[in-house]
């Protein structure tokens, strides 16, 4: 199986597009996977990519569009008419179609929906657009296989064949009552081995995991991961079956959330791509840089308050970056572990016990690092009292940074704020200021100036 598109194929595609050799172009793309076609489209110019998209059949184009990066897909869709976009959406599952159409302006959305020939498909897409994109309702697809508990096995098989035509992959068979309320699930083995005259009510399994349309996407992911589910049904407030969330949608959701958290931890306040315009990139980065600037100014102000210490012991100045760096590193380490635990919902015990554990861990780390400072001082001939002062200060700073790194993300999470924000410049900046202040204050106390 080919996993990487060769430059030769891309150049060949470009040549065929330029020559308008449609027959040979389609022949080259016939056996290419839709994910690879998306990669090819990314390497083409906008005009070339649009030419290929319009040339291919709608089903293959729809699959390729879903694999594209959002910014590339947006540029291609901008060149298509509402009718052309509608043709592509009709080949997609409702959840994918809703994701695509949500990227369009409200006016374009209305125009595209109006051009769709399949009214039921259009209604399902409109319904999905009403839900928050990070909720179970926003992640679910309407396509599924369901059977009525009052059907016979023979009638059930006939209905399932008709439903399965619109479902890409059948993960589960769900059982509902006459009011479409979810009752359970049906084992394919039980269905095949049951007498043809038996009713579904006699063979279905009443135990079934499900989520509400408003359940947060992270909770859906946690449930599916915990119980190893490939799909999970979604019900509305009245318990009626309205859709299902499949594992591929959850994988994409987890990936997007991880990217958001990674960028937030790096001090980027909104999801951006490398190819986004300068204004959007600046808007995402500048707020945290401003915070870092004020944090740095705060550190300068703290150091100015200890001018006498620097005048009598200039060596303290050279250890200031070390103290700030260790404070930042320890704080980020502690907060990263807490954020990961909160995300995985495996953070157990009280806040006091968690702080006590971090206190113990930071004591061990601080003592080891402090001893290394003292050994270093002995090697370079540094006054012993100065080395001991730096070691004690470093120990204290590490303890403080660990407690802040533990406390802040837990409090943010309780307040409904994404705790990933705590692993970035927020923790680093705050620890820099408090760490430097503690360093000079303890130096003043121990060295007696």
């Amino acid at each position: 199986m080919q996993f990487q598109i060769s430059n030769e194929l891309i150049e060949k595609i470009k040549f065929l597009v330029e020559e308008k050799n449609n027959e040979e172009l389609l022949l080259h793309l016939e056996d290419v996977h839709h994910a690879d076609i998306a990669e090819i489209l990314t390497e083409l110019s906008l005009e070339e990519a649009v030419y290929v998209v319009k040339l291919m059949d709608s089903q293959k184009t729809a699959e390729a569009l879903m694999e594209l990066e959002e910014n590339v897909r947006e540029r291609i869709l901008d060149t298509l008419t509402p009718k052309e976009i509608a043709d592509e959406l009709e080949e997609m599952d409702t959840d994918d179609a809703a994701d695509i159409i949500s990227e369009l302006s409200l006016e374009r959305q209305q125009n595209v929906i109006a051009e769709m020939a399949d009214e039921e498909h259009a209604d399902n897409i409109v319904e999905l657009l009403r839900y928050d994109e990070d909720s179970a309702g926003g992640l679910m697809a309407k396509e599924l296989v369901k059977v009525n508990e009052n059907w016979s096995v023979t009638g059930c098989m006939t209905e399932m064949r008709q439903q399965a035509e619109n479902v890409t992959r059948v993960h589960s068979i769900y059982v509902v009552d006459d009011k479409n309320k979810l009752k359970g699930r049906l084992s394919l083995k039980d269905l095949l081995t049951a007498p043809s005259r038996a009713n579904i009510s006699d063979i279905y399994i009443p135990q079934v995991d499900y989520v509400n349309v408003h359940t947060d996407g992270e909770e859906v992911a946690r449930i599916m991961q915990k119980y190893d589910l490939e799909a999970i049904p979604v019900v509305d407030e009245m318990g009626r079956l309205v859709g299902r969330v499949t594992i591929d949608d959850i994988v994409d959701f987890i990936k997007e959330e991880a990217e958001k958290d990674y960028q937030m931890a790096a001090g980027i306040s909104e999801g951006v791509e490398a190819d986004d315009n300068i204004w959007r990139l600046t808007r995402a980065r500048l707020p945290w840089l401003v915070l870092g600037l004020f944090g740095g100014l705060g550190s300068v102000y703290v150091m100015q308050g200890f001018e006498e210490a620097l005048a009598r012991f200039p060596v303290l100045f050279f250890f200031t970056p070390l103290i700030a760096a260790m404070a930042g590193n320890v704080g980020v380490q502690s907060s990263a572990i807490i954020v990961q635990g909160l995300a995985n919902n495996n953070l157990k015990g009280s806040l006091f016990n968690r702080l006590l554990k971090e206190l113990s861990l930071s004591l061990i780390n601080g003592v080891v690092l402090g001893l290394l400072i003292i050994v270093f001082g002995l090697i370079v001939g540094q006054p012993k009292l100065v080395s001991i002062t730096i070691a004690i200060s470093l120990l204290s700073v590490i303890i403080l940074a660990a407690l802040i790194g533990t406390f802040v993300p837990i409090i943010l999470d309780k307040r409904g704020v994404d705790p990933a924000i705590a692993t970035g410049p927020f923790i680093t900046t705050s620890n820099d200021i408090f760490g430097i202040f503690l360093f000079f204050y303890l130096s003043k106390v121990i060295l007696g100036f």
Side-chain angles (χ1 to χ4, degrees):
M1 181 180 291
Q2 183 177 352
F3 291 98
Q4 187 172 1
I5 298 300
S6 65
N7 292 330
E8 290 78 8
L9 177 58
I10 294 175
E11 292 301 322
K12 183 66 175 180
I13 297 298
K14 289 182 177 181
F15 173 77
L16 293 175
V17 171
E18 184 179 350
E19 294 296 318
K20 301 293 189 292
N21 190 339
N22 296 347
E23 184 176 348
E24 189 172 351
L25 178 58
L26 288 174
L27 187 63
H28 274 77
L29 295 175
E30 183 177 0
D31 297 325
V32 180
H33 192 275
H34 58 267
D36 294 327
I37 291 179
E39 185 178 337
I40 292 173
L41 293 176
T42 303
E43 296 296 327
L44 301 179
S45 67
L46 178 60
E47 293 75 15
E48 293 170 337
V50 172
Y51 184 87
V52 173
V53 166
K54 290 184 176 182
L55 183 64
M56 293 188 300
D57 65 84
S58 292
Q59 182 175 356
K60 199 157 193 175
T61 302
E63 293 173 339
L65 285 174
M66 281 305 304
E67 299 292 335
L68 288 172
E69 293 291 338
E70 184 176 329
N71 59 324
V72 178
R73 182 169 60 236
E74 183 179 344
R75 290 199 294 267
I76 292 177
L77 292 178
D78 284 342
T79 67
L80 303 180
T81 65
K83 181 65 172 65
E84 290 170 332
I85 297 176
D87 291 340
E88 308 301 343
L89 296 185
E90 289 186 335
E91 298 296 331
M92 298 180 182
D93 288 342
T94 48
D95 56 334
D96 293 334
D99 290 340
I100 293 286
I101 203 171
S102 66
E103 299 170 6
L104 306 176
S105 66
L106 182 59
E107 181 180 357
R108 289 265 282 174
Q109 288 182 22
Q110 294 172 343
N111 293 335
V112 170
I113 292 293
E115 293 288 349
M116 297 186 69
D118 189 338
E119 293 186 5
E120 183 180 358
H121 194 62
D123 289 340
N124 287 334
I125 294 173
V126 171
E127 179 185 346
L128 294 183
L129 290 174
R130 296 194 182 104
Y131 299 111
D132 187 293
E133 63 177 355
D134 292 334
S135 68
L139 294 171
M140 73 179 181
K142 300 291 291 184
E143 293 82 7
L144 50 77
V145 176
K146 63 180 179 180
V147 297
N148 191 293
E149 63 178 343
N150 298 317
W151 290 350
S152 66
V153 169
T154 302
C156 174
M157 295 294 291
T158 303
E159 290 289 340
M160 285 175 54
R161 290 191 188 100
Q162 295 177 357
Q163 294 180 33
E165 292 179 0
N166 298 321
V167 181
T168 305
R169 186 177 302 167
V170 180
H171 293 94
S172 301
I173 304 168
Y174 303 113
V175 180
V176 297
D177 62 12
D178 292 335
K179 295 182 179 180
N180 199 42
K181 291 186 178 181
L182 181 65
K183 303 293 290 186
R185 57 188 173 87
L186 182 61
S187 164
L188 185 58
K189 178 181 177 180
D190 292 341
L191 180 64
L192 294 175
T193 57
S196 58
R197 294 183 179 180
N199 287 334
I200 298 301
S201 58
D202 299 325
I203 62 174
Y204 82 87
I205 305 168
Q207 292 82 19
V208 59
D209 298 301
Y210 64 89
V211 292
N212 184 272
V213 288
H214 301 298
T215 302
D216 184 73
E218 292 185 0
E219 178 64 13
V220 178
R222 188 189 67 80
I223 294 172
M224 294 184 69
Q225 182 267 335
K226 181 178 180 180
Y227 298 108
D228 292 326
L229 302 177
E230 292 185 347
I232 189 168
V234 182
V235 301
D236 63 11
E237 291 82 353
M238 298 180 65
R240 295 174 298 194
L241 180 63
V242 293
R244 62 169 184 165
V245 178
T246 56
I247 188 64
D248 58 319
D249 296 315
I250 282 298
V251 169
D252 291 339
F253 172 79
I254 292 173
K255 179 184 175 183
E256 291 175 4
E257 288 299 303
E259 289 175 351
K260 290 178 184 178
D261 288 346
Y262 179 79
Q263 290 187 348
M264 191 173 293
I268 300 175
S269 57
E270 62 180 85
V272 292
E273 301 287 344
D275 294 332
D276 286 341
N277 60 57
I278 293 179
W279 164 243
R280 186 173 182 184
L281 290 171
T282 301
R283 189 178 61 192
R285 297 183 185 185
L286 188 58
W288 286 112
L289 294 178
V290 172
L291 174 64
L293 173 65
F294 284 113
L297 293 174
S299 300
V300 171
Y301 180 79
V302 169
M303 292 179 66
Q304 285 180 340
F306 293 94
E307 289 185 32
E308 182 183 353
L310 291 173
R312 293 185 57 183
F313 298 94
V315 68
L316 296 178
F317 173 80
F318 298 104
F319 281 92
T320 302
L322 181 146
I323 296 295
M326 293 303 297
N329 290 338
V330 171
V332 168
Q333 284 182 344
S334 299
S335 60
I337 293 174
I338 298 300
V339 169
Q340 185 181 38
L342 291 170
N344 296 330
N345 200 34
N346 59 11
L347 200 64
K348 308 300 181 183
S350 65
L351 177 58
F352 175 78
N353 290 335
R354 178 60 56 180
L355 293 175
L356 187 62
K357 184 175 182 179
E358 280 298 320
L359 177 62
S360 303
L361 181 62
S362 57
L363 274 172
I364 296 172
N365 292 335
V367 168
V368 172
L369 295 173
L371 290 174
L372 290 175
I373 288 289
I374 293 175
V375 171
F376 173 79
L378 293 174
I379 293 174
V380 300
Q382 189 172 263
K384 291 182 180 180
L385 186 58
V386 172
S387 297
I388 293 173
T389 299
I390 296 171
I392 294 175
S393 300
L394 181 61
L395 171 62
S396 304
V397 166
I398 288 175
I399 293 174
L400 177 64
L403 294 179
I404 292 176
T406 302
F407 184 76
V408 170
I410 292 177
I411 295 302
L412 290 177
D413 182 66
K414 290 184 180 296
R415 296 282 184 176
V417 180
D418 191 340
I421 199 173
T423 60
F426 184 85
I427 285 290
T428 304
T429 301
S430 61
N431 280 334
D432 281 352
I433 297 175
F434 291 122
I436 291 175
F437 173 80
L438 188 58
F439 171 50
F440 282 105
Y441 179 79
L442 290 175
S443 299
K444 180 179 180 181
V445 172
I446 297 173
L447 296 175
F449 51 82

